[in-house]
Amino acid sequence: STGSCTIKNYTDSLSGATGEFHHVYGAVIIELKDDETFYIRQITADDDGSFIDLNNKVEKSKVSKIKNCAAYIYGDIHASQVYEPIVKETNKLFSKITPRRVVLHDLFNGESINHHEEKDPIAKFHKMESNRHLLKKEIEGVYNFIDSNNLIKYKPIVVRSNHDVFIEKWIREFDWKKDLANSKEYMEYTLASLEGKAEKGVLAYLLERKYGDDITCLGLDNSFKINGWELGQHGHLGSNGSRGSIQQFRKLNTKTITGHIHHPCRKEGSASVGITCHKDLGYNHGPSNWAYSGIILHENEKIQHIIFSEDNKFTTLLDG
């Protein structure tokens, strides 16, 4: 919604206290590119009325340019199926406002060892035709996404996500003798797990082995906060191991930014990103609310969804 431009005025009641706590001074910016395309984003103001929109800071009726934001949270990546036009436009954004950290959700896709397709010989055949059944190649694709976009520059934070767990499920439940193409990786990753080197998961083990202290990999229950926002949860798990949801996260005693649901969403003190991967992942049939979207976490502790339109852009302002 647009938020409010009126001062706080609530009743002395439980609902009034809730309303006052979540009262937001804000507005919605709508850019009209042409008769067919528009861009939309929210702005959230401080108590003095100042606010940030992209790399523009508005304070005391004056507009100035800012160079950095506290963090950028990518929409779910699924590196083997990442959508390059969105990545390209995101890099263009970074040239105007550089994030001090980037947060990565579902960095790994798990297409090569997807247990959901284990009994689907047609899907497995098509993956073999294009070498998409090779786990080693998919892991190399994760490295390539990080390296080709120079993400180490932004001290990436990799959030433990549900697709990461595909590797652990594969190790625990699959017979490596039935997947000889990936047998060496099976042995290597199983041994690392047995030796206690992969306590935060195999993906974290591989990333930390390659990038060392230049990357931060989180475990399932690790917290990571920037400017008061909890960024350490992917969103697939709720309280006590239940299924996560924006309705649960909004009730926590901290503000959260999560992924997983693949569409931009904001409810009181909780927000979720969309995707950076292709909209068609092979299992999302029928009507869909999936959208290309990420979140800027500004230095003033406010957040701003970046929602890409059908032309794979989100603003007309970056060329200026």
Side-chain angles (χ1 to χ4, degrees):
S1 69
T2 58
S4 174
C5 60
T6 57
I7 61 174
K8 299 177 182 180
N9 183 20
Y10 294 92
T11 60
D12 185 14
S13 62
L14 178 60
S15 59
T18 301
E20 184 175 16
F21 181 78
H22 291 294
H23 188 103
V24 170
Y25 298 114
V28 170
I29 293 176
I30 300 175
E31 290 184 58
L32 299 178
K33 178 183 178 182
D34 50 43
D35 291 340
E36 304 247 335
T37 306
F38 70 92
Y39 310 118
I40 186 170
R41 58 188 178 272
Q42 294 170 311
I43 56 172
T44 305
D46 281 317
D47 290 342
D48 63 359
S50 63
F51 64 88
I52 297 174
D53 174 42
L54 302 179
N55 63 334
N56 301 292
K57 183 175 183 179
V58 181
E59 187 175 24
K60 296 180 179 179
S61 301
K62 295 182 179 180
V63 181
S64 59
K65 296 292 183 181
I66 58 175
K67 295 182 178 180
N68 297 99
C69 61
Y72 182 82
I73 299 86
Y74 277 86
D76 287 11
I77 293 165
H78 300 271
S80 68
Q81 293 181 291
V82 72
Y83 187 49
E84 289 296 342
I86 299 302
V87 177
K88 181 179 179 180
E89 198 67 12
T90 302
N91 289 336
K92 191 174 179 180
L93 170 65
F94 291 176
S95 71
K96 298 293 184 179
I97 179 168
T98 303
R100 303 189 189 279
R101 305 296 298 264
V102 292
V103 180
L104 311 177
H105 286 269
D106 267 338
L107 176 59
F108 176 72
N109 186 32
E111 179 185 26
S112 58
I113 54 171
N114 190 341
H115 53 278
H116 297 298
E117 297 176 346
E118 180 51 35
K119 295 183 179 180
D120 187 344
I122 305 301
K124 293 175 71 175
F125 174 80
H126 288 307
K127 285 192 293 187
M128 287 181 61
E129 278 194 315
S130 55
N131 284 331
R132 291 181 293 117
H133 68 303
L134 299 176
L135 178 54
K136 181 179 180 180
K137 181 179 178 182
E138 187 168 4
I139 294 295
E140 289 173 348
V142 170
Y143 299 153
N144 180 66
F145 176 79
I146 294 172
D147 296 340
S148 63
N149 295 294
N150 198 21
L151 293 189
I152 293 301
K153 172 183 177 182
Y154 310 113
K155 299 190 291 184
I157 303 155
V158 180
V159 180
R160 177 77 159 150
S161 305
N162 62 309
H163 278 249
D164 304 350
V165 183
F166 281 18
I167 303 178
E168 282 70 45
K169 186 176 181 66
W170 176 65
I171 289 173
R172 289 194 312 267
E173 300 180 5
F174 199 70
D175 182 355
W176 66 272
K177 294 187 292 294
K178 297 180 180 179
D179 187 10
L180 294 178
N182 291 316
S183 58
K184 288 185 178 180
E185 286 67 42
Y186 183 95
M187 297 301 179
E188 177 189 351
Y189 302 161
T190 300
L191 181 60
S193 301
L194 291 172
E195 292 180 342
K197 298 178 181 178
E199 293 183 355
K200 292 181 291 186
V202 171
L203 181 66
Y205 159 72
L206 294 172
L207 291 171
E208 289 174 345
R209 186 177 68 178
K210 181 173 177 62
Y211 298 106
D213 294 336
D214 290 332
I215 198 166
T216 300
C217 296
L218 305 179
L220 276 179
D221 293 319
N222 289 158
S223 171
F224 199 100
K225 287 189 176 182
I226 297 178
N227 284 1
W229 288 85
E230 175 59 67
L231 306 177
Q233 294 298 304
H234 176 56
H236 62 301
L237 294 178
S239 59
N240 302 315
S242 63
R243 186 185 296 272
S245 71
I246 199 80
Q247 294 297 333
Q248 278 201 31
F249 299 130
R250 62 183 274 266
K251 297 178 182 178
L252 298 179
N253 63 350
T254 185
K255 297 178 291 185
T256 63
I257 300 175
T258 57
H260 185 58
I261 59 177
H262 288 191
H263 66 268
C265 181
R266 187 171 182 176
K267 183 70 174 178
E268 296 171 348
S270 185
S272 184
V273 292
I275 54 175
T276 309
C277 60
H278 282 273
K279 287 183 179 179
D280 182 9
L281 292 182
Y283 55 81
N284 53 313
H285 303 294
S288 175
N289 60 357
W290 288 15
Y292 299 121
S293 172
I295 288 178
I296 297 176
L297 172 51
H298 288 293
E299 300 281 23
N300 65 354
E301 302 182 9
K302 309 301 182 183
I303 66 170
Q304 188 170 39
H305 271 96
I306 299 300
I307 301 174
F308 297 86
S309 190
E310 291 300 312
D311 62 353
N312 302 320
K313 299 183 181 298
F314 62 93
T315 183
T316 63
L317 302 180
L318 292 189
D319 295 326

